Each structure stands twice: as C-alpha cells, then as structure tokens.
C-alpha cells in the first residue's frame, strides 16, 4: 500500500510539471502573437491575445501590464481615428507613463503623437489659407479666393480631424463659384447690352450715312440737271441783236444762232450743241460744227462777241435793215 501511494504521488508530480510546461508554451505564444498585432496596430486583437496569455498565467505582471497598456492605446487610436486629438493625447500620455510598459507600444504612442502634431500643423496652415480665401471673397477677389480653396481641397482631408475645415472650405468654394457665375452672367448681360447699344448706334449711323449719301446724290443729280439745263439755256442773252453800225443783225436762242448782213437775202445759221456758263454774264457756245465762241452780256441790252458790240432790238428793228430782202426767223 505504501508503494502504491508513492507511485501515485510521483505520477501526479509528473502531470503537474507537464501541465505547467504546456501553460508556459501557450502563454509565450499568446504574448508573441499579441506583439505581432501591436506591430500591425491591431490593438483590439493584441488585447485579446494578451487576455489569453493572462488566462494561462493568472495575475502575471507582464500580461496584466500589456492588457492595460494595450487597452489605453486602443482608446487613443479610436479617439485619433474619430478626430478627437485631445482624448487621444491624454491616452497616449498614459501609455508612455506606464511603468515597465512595452517599448513597442511606447514607439507606437510616440509615432501617433508625431502624426497628430503634423496634422495639427497642416490644419493650422490650411485654416490660414481658408481665412485668406474668405478675405479675398469679401474683397471681391473671386479668382484668388477660389484658387486658394481648391489648393486646400486638393490635399488629403479625409481624416475626421479635418472634417469641419473641409466642410467650411467646400461651403465657401460653393459661394465663390456662385458669385463668379453671377459676375460672369452680369458681364455677359452687360456685353450683350453694350452690343445692342453699339448695334443700334451702328444702324442709326448707317441710316444717317445712307440718308446723307442719298441727299448728296440727290443734290448732285439736281446740280447735274441744273448744269445740263443751263447748258441748254442761253438765259438773258436770248433775243435779237444789232451791231452798232446797224450792218448786221442776229437772232440768238438756246438752240441756234442765225445772222445776216444788211441788204442780204442770205443768212447763216448754226445749231448750238452746248452752252457753258463761265459766269453770270459770260457764256461759251459750242456749235454743231465744233466751233466755239464766247459772248459777254455787258448789261441786259448790250452783247459783246466776235462780231463786236451788239445792242438788243426787237424783231422788227432787226429785220428792218434788210428792207424786205431777208427776214430773221
């Protein structure tokens, strides 16, 4: 019986040693996998592995510390992902202050701090750009305002930390674009209105020019007609004329000139093809044979020409010198 008890005790001791060894193996594996998840920043999964390690070694200081530190880091990461940097910073400080904490978690915490600082610096810069664009907008500098806003919106603002700034920039950009459209529409309307004014002015100018042209053409036509009429009108020079020695008489009309000497039964007649009024008293006559002669109406009753000085007489007085041998028409 004594031998049996000793054998049983030995068996139980071997079993205990085996069980302890098995627990250590699982513990180490859970710790290792948890650290791998920390490297990947999968803090929730890392916490689960550390909890399992703690199950193998209840009240183990290392596993307990890792569970607590990872929980705080997970809180910091959740706060960071939601854009709550204040909470994230508080949690990160707790991670870094953990006594005998994980160096790897410490590195991750410091990296998160650096990332937040960079994002805060970027936000400050973008906020300055937004304020500049807002000022440009108020001053009516729409293109400058829109350019600044578009540069900001081209940045990666997908993180919730930038959500409010992004919304502000998008809202202001929409206002600027609307204002630009209104300005452009107004400019188009002004251009169209100006075009209508210019078109109306052009039409009126063309109408006026056409009227002036027509009036000039009318005047030119009238002047031409007057000249043509004048070229066929002998005017005050028409009538019967007798030389001062009363040896020759002439009859001058707008269409012909006929003359005959005293006691002649023959006269000569030349058709007038053109009358050129050199002045109000001087005329140039062109006959059908091409001959030209000039006459001057000294006064209403005296005519000077190639045959000399002639005086105005009646038809009877002119024909009287022929004593019945000839008669001027």
């Amino acid at each position: 019986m004594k031998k049996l008890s000793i054998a049983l005790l030995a068996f139980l001791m071997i079993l205990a040693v085996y069980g302890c060894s098995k627990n250590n193996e699982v513990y180490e594996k859970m710790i290792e996998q948890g650290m791998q998840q920390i490297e990947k920043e999968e803090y929730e999964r890392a916490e689960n592995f550390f909890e399992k390690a703690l199950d193998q070694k209840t009240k183990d200081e290392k596993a307990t510390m890792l569970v607590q530190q990872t929980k705080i880091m997970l809180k910091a990461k959740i706060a960071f992902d939601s854009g709550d940097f204040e909470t994230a910073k508080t949690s990160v400080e707790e991670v870094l202050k953990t006594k005998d904490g994980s160096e790897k978690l410490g590195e991750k915490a410091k990296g998160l701090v650096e990332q937040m600082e960079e994002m805060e610096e970027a936000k400050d810069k973008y906020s300055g750009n937004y304020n500049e664009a807002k000022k440009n907008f108020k001053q009516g500098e729409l293109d400058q305002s829109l350019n600044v806003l578009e540069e900001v919106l081209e940045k990666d603002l997908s993180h919730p930390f930038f959500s409010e700034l992004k919304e502000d920039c998008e809202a202001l950009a929409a206002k600027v674009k609307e204002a630009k459209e209104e300005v452009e529409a107004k400019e188009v309307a002004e251009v169209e209105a100006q075009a209508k004014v210019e078109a109306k002015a052009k039409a009126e100018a063309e109408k006026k020019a056409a009227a002036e042209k027509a009036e000039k053409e009318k005047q030119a036509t009238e002047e031409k007609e007057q000249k043509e009429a004048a070229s066929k009108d002998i005017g005050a020079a028409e009538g019967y004329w007798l030389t001062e020695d009363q040896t020759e008489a002439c009859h001058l009309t707008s269409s012909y000139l006929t003359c005959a000497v005293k006691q002649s039964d023959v006269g000569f007649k030349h058709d007038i093809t053109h009358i050129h009024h050199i002045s109000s008293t001087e005329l140039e006559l062109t006959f059908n044979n091409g001959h030209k002669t000039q006459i001057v109406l000294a006064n209403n009753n005296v005519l000077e020409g190639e045959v000399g000085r002639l005086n105005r007489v009646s038809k009877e007085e002119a024909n009287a010198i022929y004593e019945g041998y000839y008669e001027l028409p």
Side-chain angles (χ1 to χ4, degrees), residues 101-166:
S102 167
E103 292 184 5
K104 181 56 66 177
L105 278 171
E107 291 175 3
K108 292 295 182 180
K110 290 178 181 178
L112 191 59
V113 170
E114 291 176 0
Q115 192 173 355
M116 286 190 288
E117 289 176 349
E118 289 176 359
M119 293 174 68
E120 286 174 334
E121 183 179 346
K123 186 176 182 180
D124 288 341
K125 179 181 177 182
Y126 302 155
S127 296
N129 295 145
Y130 169 78
N131 290 330
E132 178 187 353
K134 193 173 182 180
K135 181 180 178 182
N136 290 336
F137 175 64
K138 290 181 178 179
Q139 293 177 344
E141 299 170 350
L142 302 181
D143 288 333
Q144 296 91 322
S145 178
L146 189 58
N147 288 338
V148 172
L149 290 171
E150 288 178 344
E151 286 181 7
V152 173
L153 291 171
E154 285 176 359
K155 307 298 182 182
D156 182 8
L157 304 179
S158 58
H159 195 281
F161 180 67
F162 297 110
S163 59
E164 184 178 351
L165 175 62
K166 182 180 179 182

Side-chain angles (χ1 to χ4, degrees), residues 19-37 46 49-57 60 62-63 66:
C20 184
S21 175
K22 185 67 176 178
N23 287 349
N24 284 336
E25 183 180 346
V26 174
Y27 170 85
E28 294 295 338
K29 188 174 182 178
M30 293 301 101
I31 293 295
E32 180 182 355
Q33 290 185 0
M35 297 307 294
Q36 290 176 357
Q37 296 306 314
F49 281 116
F50 294 143
E51 290 281 5
K52 289 178 181 179
L54 194 59
D55 289 340
Q56 300 301 316
K57 286 187 177 184
D60 179 74
K62 179 178 180 181
L66 286 172

